[in-house]
Amino acid sequence: MKTAIGIDLGGTYIKYGLVDQQGKILKKGMIPTKAESNSRDIVIEQISTAIKDVWNDTIDGIGIGTPGVVDNNGVVYEAPNLPDWHNFNLKEIFEKKFNKPVVVENDANSIAYGEFLFGAGKGTRTIVCLTLGTGLGGGVVINGKLLRGAIYSAAEIGHMPIDYKGRKCGCGSIGCIEAYVGRDYIVKSVIRKIKRGKKTILTEMAENDLSKITPKMISEAYQKGDKLAEETWIEMATALGAFLAGIVNLLNPDRIILAGGIAQAGEILFETVRKTIHERAMKVLSKNVEIVPAELGIDAGIISGAALIFQS
Ligand SMILES: [Zn+2]
């Protein structure tokens, strides 16, 4: 039986596990990343500790999902939440240390491949996987292969503009889809409407401190029939659906998979996204595509890390 170690490197925790060829976790753990140490070496030491904890000599390799841009050689660039995580070969470090094949991939790309191989994309050829959270990450698998682009990782989906005169995005550009569906932007738009006088139970739920409002709270308010919460999700999902109509026309995917905390807003999100895609994408393409929730759950990063090894 083939096995691999999957590493999910986050800004706060490293989640890791030993995973078999069916995507089943045999053993797993979690340790702090120690990013606050401001030392790249300490973070690398933490990853080594994680690997050793689930190590056995028969593994087929180690797959690491990391924030940042990763090139075809395993060099990482531009990960703002990790110390000095820029311009160095992460793959080489661990291949030398453990003498096994190592694959390093951008975390959102890694999740897309994991969902393709073991989760909601199983049995398809072409998928787009979006992770809805603070930002909007994503990955694309075309004909069974991760779309990687010319040199660096392609699929910086969150920073595709949907409105060239639109909202300012954190990346410095204007009108990126992230500025319409990212967590902070959703909350900000709700706060703006409350300040303009919209009545909502969110004010009470947040104990009159609007800074306490979260997407989860907006979902709860929606369940209780709150109009502003409903309007917020419909607006967000319509923006996402319009954006995805473009993606459907561009890539003709079998499935679009929605992952991440905000995807848990539930049926109103999925229904509105589906409806908008069907209204706006080319008919024959939109008829074919399915919009589904991710399946790998909280251990997605671990399973996906291992999937990177099974792809090769
Ligand atoms: Zn942007």
Side-chain angles (χ1 to χ4, degrees):
M1 182 182 62
K2 279 192 164 187
T3 59
I5 291 176
I7 303 281
D8 175 6
L9 177 59
T12 313
Y13 289 102
I14 300 166
K15 296 181 192 168
Y16 58 93
L18 180 68
V19 181
D20 75 11
Q21 218 178 345
Q22 267 78 50
K24 204 176 127 211
I25 296 180
L26 306 172
K27 194 181 170 191
K28 67 173 180 175
M30 187 166 106
I31 54 170
T33 307
K34 295 194 177 168
E36 71 287 352
S37 66
N38 271 326
S39 155
R40 186 207 284 168
D41 290 341
I42 289 179
V43 174
I44 286 170
E45 219 21 70
Q46 289 298 94
I47 301 173
S48 297
T49 306
I51 293 170
K52 284 174 197 156
D53 190 40
V54 289
W55 177 266
N56 72 56
D57 291 333
T58 64
I59 62 159
D60 290 90
I62 301 160
I64 304 175
T66 173
V69 177
V70 183
D71 78 6
N72 296 343
N73 300 314
V75 178
V76 182
Y77 304 87
E78 296 178 40
N81 300 325
L82 293 170
D84 200 16
W85 219 246
H86 181 71
N87 217 353
F88 74 107
N89 196 317
L90 187 62
K91 174 184 157 87
E92 217 170 72
I93 292 173
F94 289 103
E95 275 184 342
K96 275 189 186 143
K97 256 191 176 167
F98 293 96
N99 205 20
K100 291 277 185 188
V102 173
V103 178
V104 180
E105 186 55 78
N106 163 269
D107 47 10
N109 277 356
S110 167
I111 299 282
Y113 194 76
E115 285 289 344
F116 169 74
L117 201 62
F118 295 128
K122 234 172 156 175
T124 65
R125 299 285 298 156
T126 297
I127 60 139
V128 176
C129 179
L130 297 184
T131 306
L132 293 152
T134 311
L136 175 68
V140 176
V141 176
I142 293 183
N143 288 325
K145 285 221 152 116
L146 252 182
L147 177 70
R148 308 218 59 229
I151 310 170
Y152 303 114
S153 38
E156 286 296 338
I157 288 178
H159 302 289
M160 289 174 69
I162 53 162
D163 181 354
Y164 77 103
K165 289 179 181 167
R167 293 181 187 169
K168 270 206 169 129
C169 176
C171 75
S173 186
I174 290 164
C176 298
I177 179 65
E178 183 169 300
Y180 297 82
V181 305
R183 182 200 148 88
D184 294 350
Y185 297 94
I186 296 172
V187 171
K188 249 191 242 165
S189 117
V190 165
I191 292 176
R192 223 173 15 239
K193 285 176 182 164
I194 295 174
K195 283 186 175 161
R196 270 196 233 126
K198 281 256 183 185
K199 292 274 165 285
T200 165
I201 57 169
L202 281 162
T203 321
E204 192 186 315
M205 286 170 79
E207 295 161 335
N208 283 313
D209 178 358
L210 299 186
S211 69
K212 283 189 188 160
I213 293 175
T214 61
K216 192 166 170 252
M217 213 182 266
I218 302 170
S219 285
E220 283 163 15
Y222 167 69
Q223 300 300 343
K224 290 177 186 161
D226 187 72
K227 279 282 161 237
L228 177 62
E230 181 184 9
E231 187 186 307
T232 302
W233 287 126
I234 289 179
E235 203 175 279
M236 178 271 189
T238 305
L240 186 60
F243 167 73
L244 287 174
I247 295 286
V248 166
N249 287 346
L250 177 69
L251 298 174
N252 185 17
D254 298 299
R255 267 177 218 162
I256 293 173
I257 299 167
L258 302 182
I262 289 180
Q264 282 156 19
E267 232 6 75
I268 185 167
L269 172 69
F270 282 86
E271 258 170 39
T272 310
V273 167
R274 283 182 195 122
K275 180 170 160 275
T276 311
I277 292 175
H278 288 144
E279 282 166 3
R280 301 194 186 198
M282 306 291 286
K283 291 287 160 285
V284 64
L285 304 182
S286 71
K287 238 190 249 169
N288 175 67
V289 68
E290 296 172 296
I291 317 299
V292 298
E295 281 178 8
L296 295 185
I298 51 164
D299 292 324
I302 299 173
I303 298 167
S304 302
L308 297 171
I309 292 297
F310 299 132
Q311 78 177 323
S312 44

